[in-house]
Protein backbone atom coordinates (compact mmCIF):
# COMPACT_ATOMS: atom_id res chain seq x y z
CA UNK A 1 0.00 0.00 0.00
CA UNK A 2 1.22 3.52 -0.80
CA UNK A 3 2.39 5.19 2.43
CA UNK A 4 1.62 8.68 1.07
CA UNK A 5 -2.07 7.84 1.07
CA UNK A 6 -1.87 6.94 4.74
CA UNK A 7 -0.44 10.31 5.85
CA UNK A 8 -2.45 13.50 6.36
CA UNK A 9 -2.51 15.69 3.24
CA UNK A 10 -0.54 18.48 4.93
CA UNK A 11 2.33 16.08 5.60
CA UNK A 12 2.73 14.60 2.12
CA UNK A 13 5.96 14.98 0.28
CA UNK A 14 5.90 17.26 -2.76
CA UNK A 15 4.90 15.66 -6.03
CA UNK A 16 6.76 16.13 -9.28
CA UNK A 17 10.08 17.80 -9.90
CA UNK A 18 11.44 21.13 -11.14
CA UNK A 19 10.85 21.84 -14.81
CA UNK A 20 13.75 21.72 -17.22
CA UNK A 21 14.53 24.92 -19.14
CA UNK A 22 13.23 23.57 -22.49
CA UNK A 23 9.83 22.80 -20.93
CA UNK A 24 9.59 26.26 -19.37
CA UNK A 25 10.58 28.02 -22.58
CA UNK A 26 8.10 25.93 -24.59
CA UNK A 27 5.30 26.98 -22.24
CA UNK A 28 6.41 30.62 -22.39
CA UNK A 29 6.56 30.50 -26.20
CA UNK A 30 2.98 29.19 -26.33
CA UNK A 31 1.76 31.76 -23.77
CA UNK A 32 3.38 34.61 -25.71
CA UNK A 33 1.73 33.42 -28.90
CA UNK A 34 -1.68 33.05 -27.24
CA UNK A 35 -1.62 36.31 -25.24
CA UNK A 36 0.51 38.55 -27.45
CA UNK A 37 2.49 39.58 -24.36
CA UNK A 38 6.26 39.59 -24.81
CA UNK A 39 8.07 38.32 -21.72
CA UNK A 40 10.93 36.04 -20.73
CA UNK A 41 10.97 33.58 -17.83
CA UNK A 42 14.09 35.20 -16.43
CA UNK A 43 12.05 38.35 -15.66
CA UNK A 44 10.18 36.38 -13.01
CA UNK A 45 13.43 35.28 -11.40
CA UNK A 46 14.35 38.95 -10.88
CA UNK A 47 10.84 39.73 -9.69
CA UNK A 48 11.07 36.92 -7.13
CA UNK A 49 14.48 38.07 -5.85
CA UNK A 50 13.27 41.68 -5.58
CA UNK A 51 10.14 40.56 -3.77
CA UNK A 52 12.21 38.55 -1.28
CA UNK A 53 14.63 41.40 -0.57
CA UNK A 54 11.90 43.98 -0.16
CA UNK A 55 10.28 41.75 2.44
CA UNK A 56 13.45 41.46 4.48
CA UNK A 57 15.07 38.27 3.22
CA UNK A 58 18.83 38.45 3.62
CA UNK A 59 21.22 38.27 0.70
CA UNK A 60 22.49 34.87 1.84
CA UNK A 61 18.96 33.45 1.76
CA UNK A 62 18.29 34.91 -1.67
CA UNK A 63 21.62 33.49 -2.88
CA UNK A 64 20.57 30.01 -1.78
CA UNK A 65 17.05 30.26 -3.21
CA UNK A 66 18.33 31.45 -6.59
CA UNK A 67 21.09 28.87 -6.64
CA UNK A 68 23.94 31.34 -7.04
CA UNK A 69 27.36 29.77 -6.48
CA UNK A 70 28.69 32.94 -4.86
CA UNK A 71 27.15 35.64 -2.68
CA UNK A 72 29.00 38.13 -4.90
CA UNK A 73 26.68 37.28 -7.79
CA UNK A 74 23.64 38.02 -5.67
CA UNK A 75 25.07 41.25 -4.26
CA UNK A 76 26.26 42.46 -7.67
CA UNK A 77 22.83 41.79 -9.20
CA UNK A 78 20.51 42.84 -6.38
CA UNK A 79 22.58 44.90 -3.94
CA UNK A 80 21.33 48.18 -5.39
CA UNK A 81 17.80 47.33 -4.28
CA UNK A 82 18.59 47.70 -0.62
CA UNK A 83 20.19 51.11 -1.17
CA UNK A 84 17.34 52.35 -3.39
CA UNK A 85 14.73 51.07 -0.99
CA UNK A 86 16.49 52.68 1.98
CA UNK A 87 16.65 55.99 0.13
CA UNK A 88 12.94 55.78 -0.74
CA UNK A 89 12.13 55.14 2.90
CA UNK A 90 14.22 58.13 3.98
CA UNK A 91 12.62 60.32 1.31
CA UNK A 92 9.17 59.28 2.55
CA UNK A 93 10.30 60.38 6.01
CA UNK A 94 11.29 63.81 4.66
CA UNK A 95 14.99 63.34 3.96
CA UNK A 96 16.63 64.42 0.68
CA UNK A 97 13.54 66.39 -0.32
CA UNK A 98 14.15 69.80 1.19
CA UNK A 99 11.77 68.99 4.05
CA UNK A 100 14.60 67.88 6.31
CA UNK A 101 14.62 69.00 9.88
CA UNK A 102 17.56 71.35 10.33
CA UNK A 103 19.17 71.92 13.70
Amino acid sequence: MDKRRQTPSNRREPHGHPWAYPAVYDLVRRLRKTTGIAFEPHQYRHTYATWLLRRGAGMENVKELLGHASISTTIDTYGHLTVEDARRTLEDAGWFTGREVRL
Side-chain angles (χ1 to χ4, degrees):
M1 185 155 201
D2 185 1
K3 284 191 167 200
R4 279 190 304 202
R5 292 186 184 156
Q6 296 173 356
T7 60
S9 62
N10 64 347
R11 300 184 83 201
R12 288 185 182 162
E13 292 184 25
H15 297 284
H17 51 82
W19 285 24
Y21 277 101
V24 172
Y25 276 93
D26 180 60
L27 174 63
V28 168
R29 181 186 53 76
R30 289 183 285 131
L31 286 170
R32 285 191 303 226
K33 184 177 180 182
T34 302
T35 65
I37 299 170
F39 69 97
E40 295 292 331
H42 204 77
Q43 290 170 292
Y44 293 101
R45 181 177 171 88
H46 291 297
T47 300
Y48 176 58
T50 301
W51 182 84
L52 288 169
L53 290 167
R54 287 191 173 154
R55 280 159 185 77
M59 284 287 180
E60 185 66 33
N61 292 329
V62 173
K63 170 206 170 283
E64 292 297 322
L65 290 167
L66 295 179
H68 291 159
S70 167
I71 191 71
S72 298
T73 303
T74 312
I75 292 170
D76 290 348
T77 306
Y78 301 104
H80 68 281
L81 291 172
T82 55
V83 172
E84 289 173 5
D85 291 337
R87 182 174 182 88
R88 189 176 306 113
T89 300
L90 290 171
E91 285 175 349
D92 290 346
W95 293 75
F96 311 124
T97 61
R99 298 181 292 154
E100 296 93 8
V101 174
R102 304 215 186 266
L103 299 177

